[in-house]
Amino acid sequence: MARTIYDVSMLIHEGVQVYKNKDEKRPRFETTSDFSTGSSHETRIHMDAHTGTHIDAPLHMIPDGKTIETVKLKQLVGNCRVLDLTDVEGGIGRADLEPHKPQPGEFLLFKTKNSWDEEFNYEFIYLAQDGAEYLADIGITGVGIDGLGVERAQPGHETHTALLSKDIVIIEGLRLKNVPAGEYFMVAAPLKLTGIDAAPARVMLFEGVGFLD
């Protein structure tokens, strides 16, 4: 039976939206090519680890936290659920999440107004502290959001800390505009990096639960 596959990753290019439009976060491609001398066409990529769709490691917000290679593939490959939160303004709080009845062990992806933003929006929808603490107490496996940050304007980084301190995976920068709410099989494949705080990722959703069962 044919199944729909959704690629929910951001396209990486030099004009891709970056967090707070910071120039130092913009990817840059440096290409050399001279076929007349027998040379090849090669491109060097200069890119922040938090570019586009990416996975945060605890070290991103927790001093001496675990680095990206400690996020295991078994945490990133499996069933997930897309929640339609497109009516939420500001922060996604506990009251917004309770009607969806999150369950222990679930991986939840938040579809919000962010998925329609082609440029960085300083008022992006985020996960509020009480929402993060609620999900952490339930014991979910991970969260994904369609903004370039899971938190906004939190000097103490409470949302990140509530999740990462319990080894709950955070995926940021998803593109969920064309994905209906519901259950999917997710493959989130970060670059195989080590010793750092994040990794860019290709994330795909397969229609139907237990696709590889």
Side-chain angles (χ1 to χ4, degrees):
M1 180 177 66
R3 297 176 184 267
T4 301
I5 302 174
Y6 295 96
D7 184 342
V8 294
S9 317
M10 294 177 69
L11 180 66
I12 302 300
H13 55 94
E14 291 186 332
V16 68
Q17 64 167 289
V18 295
Y19 192 72
K20 293 187 176 179
N21 293 324
K22 294 181 177 180
D23 285 338
E24 65 270 24
K25 290 185 174 292
R26 299 189 187 283
R28 182 167 58 86
F29 301 158
E30 179 184 332
T31 301
T32 58
S33 177
D34 188 355
F35 290 119
S36 65
T37 62
S39 179
S40 58
H41 191 289
E42 294 186 354
T43 301
R44 182 182 297 273
I45 301 173
H46 304 265
M47 190 169 73
D48 191 291
H50 298 261
T51 298
T53 307
H54 63 276
I55 296 168
D56 285 347
L59 180 62
H60 179 43
M61 292 296 182
I62 299 175
D64 299 318
K66 297 176 183 177
T67 49
I68 191 63
E69 75 279 3
T70 66
V71 180
K72 304 303 182 186
L73 284 179
K74 66 181 181 180
Q75 298 174 270
L76 301 169
V77 177
N79 297 333
C80 71
R81 184 156 59 108
V82 175
L83 306 185
D84 188 340
L85 297 168
T86 52
D87 60 339
V88 173
E89 301 288 346
I92 301 166
R94 176 172 182 159
D96 301 304
L97 295 167
E98 285 180 331
H100 297 278
K101 297 180 172 56
Q103 300 297 312
E106 276 199 297
F107 205 117
L108 301 175
L109 308 184
F110 303 148
K111 178 180 179 177
T112 77
K113 292 181 174 66
N114 297 332
S115 280
W116 281 262
D117 289 334
E118 297 299 330
E119 303 292 335
F120 182 76
N121 181 359
Y122 283 84
E123 300 300 317
F124 66 87
I125 310 301
Y126 64 99
L127 179 60
Q129 180 180 350
D130 72 314
E133 291 172 348
Y134 168 62
L135 296 176
D137 289 341
I138 288 173
I140 65 167
T141 294
V143 300
I145 193 164
D146 50 6
L148 286 178
V150 74
E151 67 177 61
R152 173 159 63 82
Q154 292 180 347
H157 307 300
E158 291 83 2
T159 289
H160 270 98
T161 301
L163 300 172
L164 295 176
S165 64
K166 294 191 175 182
D167 291 327
I168 296 171
V169 176
I170 296 174
I171 304 177
E172 297 174 328
L174 295 170
R175 298 287 84 182
L176 298 171
K177 178 172 64 173
N178 298 317
V179 182
E183 297 182 325
Y184 297 88
F185 190 88
M186 179 180 73
V187 175
L191 290 179
K192 197 170 183 179
L193 301 171
T194 187
I196 62 173
D197 48 82
R202 187 76 175 263
V203 183
M204 292 164 286
L205 303 182
F206 297 82
E207 198 174 55
V209 178
F211 182 75
L212 298 182
D213 290 348

